[in-house]
Amino acid sequence: MNFNNLDCNVKYDEPLKNHTTFKIGGNCKILVEPKSVDNIIEILKICKNNNLNFFIIGNGSNLLVSDNGYDGVIIKLKENFSNIYLNDGYVVSQSGATLSEVFKFSMNNSLTGFEFASGIPGTIGGAVYMNAGAYGGEMKDVVSEVEVLDIDTLEQIVLKPENLHFDYRKSIVQERNYIITKVKLKLSVGDINEIRAVYLDLKEKRNSKQPLEFGSAGSTFKRPEGNFASKLIEDSGLKGYSVNDAMVSKKHSGFIVNVGNATCSDVLKLVDYVKKTVYEKYNVKLEMEVKILGE
């Protein structure tokens, strides 16, 4: 079980709170940061040969990690897996590039259509995985092609939009044993000043409405049909309600934030209380959007 022979960063007994936007989570056995698809394949072979659990993360922005950590290998696709380039008019990005990096690259090349994603705090791989969206746009609107690695066969496959089965916060990747390695975007030629103006407007809206000053995993709950989770939570009188350092944001009640040293246990207790209260008042079952990792 020798990860040190690989041409990539390897960390042992690594605190996962350092790798999630929630700033919560115990340690993992091993954290590896591959630089290439070949690296990922080598890591997967080691994991399979040694019966090691493994989990893929990007920016850790939609993730709540257990206080007990993760008994396995975390494969982190971010800084070392973030090349972005133009190919025949398309923006092509490795899956570890952040959405803000992809947006800035697009803007600098006078390409429009990705402004909606400019402030979402995740990687482009994670955004495709869950068909992330904001301000009227979703990844399904701009994705032209996605390259994935099949975990079972270790083969690379190219998926077109019709194969990705995009839906609200869903894609085929959630159902299959796939790792997103590369994303190709079809954007339109625009005016750099107009693109920047839209970006600055959306940035102002985000800063004024979202609790960016605290650790969080973004929107905690999925949007219930015909309603908004934040409105239901606020109308239930839960804005500012807390369990230790986990709190329903006073700025935007759709967010649960870490105002200090919240634990996973604190967050889950608060989530349960919010779900129970909203259900009792409005007969609506809230569903978590945030993924939970570990026991």
Side-chain angles (χ1 to χ4, degrees):
M1 192 178 75
N2 197 345
F3 288 89
N4 293 325
N5 292 336
L6 301 177
D7 178 29
C8 52
N9 296 345
V10 182
K11 296 174 182 175
Y12 294 89
D13 203 28
E14 178 69 7
L16 288 174
K17 67 179 181 182
N18 296 340
H19 299 272
T20 69
T21 56
F22 230 147
K23 309 278 186 257
I24 290 173
N27 296 5
C28 64
K29 265 188 182 173
I30 302 166
L31 184 137
V32 197
E33 296 179 279
K35 297 177 181 175
S36 66
V37 174
D38 285 343
N39 267 170
I40 299 172
I41 291 170
E42 290 168 342
I43 293 161
L44 292 175
K45 282 179 178 175
I46 293 172
C47 290
K48 287 180 176 187
N49 291 338
N50 292 278
N51 285 325
L52 289 170
N53 296 321
F54 57 88
F55 189 80
I56 317 298
I57 69 167
N59 200 36
S61 59
N62 193 46
L63 196 62
L64 176 61
V65 178
S66 163
D67 299 319
N68 297 322
Y70 180 68
D71 185 23
V73 179
I74 293 290
I75 302 170
K76 184 177 182 182
L77 303 180
K78 197 170 171 242
E79 289 92 348
N80 289 341
F81 207 81
S82 59
N83 289 337
I84 310 166
Y85 56 93
L86 273 181
N87 182 10
D88 215 10
Y90 292 89
V91 173
V92 183
S93 171
Q94 283 185 301
S95 57
T98 63
L99 293 167
S100 61
E101 288 167 343
V102 176
F103 165 72
K104 280 170 187 165
F105 178 90
S106 305
M107 179 176 71
N108 291 336
N109 284 280
S110 298
L111 291 169
T112 183
F114 207 63
E115 291 87 335
F116 76 91
S118 59
I120 299 173
T123 59
I124 193 162
V128 169
Y129 177 88
M130 64 174 294
N131 187 27
Y135 300 112
E138 288 181 299
M139 291 305 296
K140 71 177 176 63
D141 304 328
V142 291
V143 168
S144 164
E145 199 173 275
V146 176
E147 190 179 274
V148 298
L149 178 66
D150 187 315
I151 291 170
D152 299 323
T153 64
L154 301 183
E155 292 176 349
Q156 286 180 271
I157 303 165
V158 174
L159 300 174
K160 296 290 187 183
E162 60 268 24
N163 309 126
L164 283 159
H165 298 182
F166 280 129
D167 203 347
Y168 176 67
R169 301 299 172 260
K170 278 185 185 171
S171 75
I172 191 74
V173 187
Q174 295 176 21
E175 300 163 23
R176 301 291 177 89
N177 255 353
Y178 291 157
I179 298 172
I180 297 168
T181 54
K182 198 181 283 182
V183 179
K184 190 174 179 182
L185 302 176
K186 184 170 176 55
L187 304 174
S188 307
V189 176
D191 179 271
I192 190 167
N193 294 316
E194 290 175 12
I195 296 167
R196 187 179 287 110
V198 172
Y199 159 67
L200 291 172
D201 179 52
L202 293 181
K203 185 180 180 184
E204 170 57 32
K205 283 180 182 170
R206 192 176 287 273
N207 287 345
S208 65
K209 291 178 181 174
Q210 295 186 8
L212 304 180
E213 64 273 27
F214 296 116
S216 81
S219 296
T220 308
F221 301 99
K222 292 180 181 177
R223 189 177 65 231
E225 202 170 326
N227 219 314
F228 292 97
S230 56
K231 185 176 188 322
L232 291 168
I233 293 165
E234 185 171 346
D235 290 351
S236 298
L238 294 172
K239 215 173 198 179
Y241 186 89
S242 63
V243 173
N244 297 323
D245 279 345
M247 183 177 78
V248 175
S249 167
K250 293 175 181 175
K251 202 180 212 180
H252 188 315
S253 49
F255 287 67
I256 287 177
V257 293
N258 178 4
V259 299
N261 292 301
T263 64
C264 176
S265 173
D266 294 336
V267 172
L268 292 177
K269 282 175 187 168
L270 181 53
V271 163
D272 284 345
Y273 184 78
V274 168
K275 286 164 81 171
K276 179 172 174 284
T277 306
V278 167
Y279 185 71
E280 284 173 355
K281 280 182 176 284
Y282 298 104
N283 202 33
V284 175
K285 285 187 177 178
L286 292 181
E287 188 183 340
M288 268 186 89
E289 184 173 302
V290 177
K291 306 288 180 199
I292 300 170
L293 177 65
E295 297 286 326

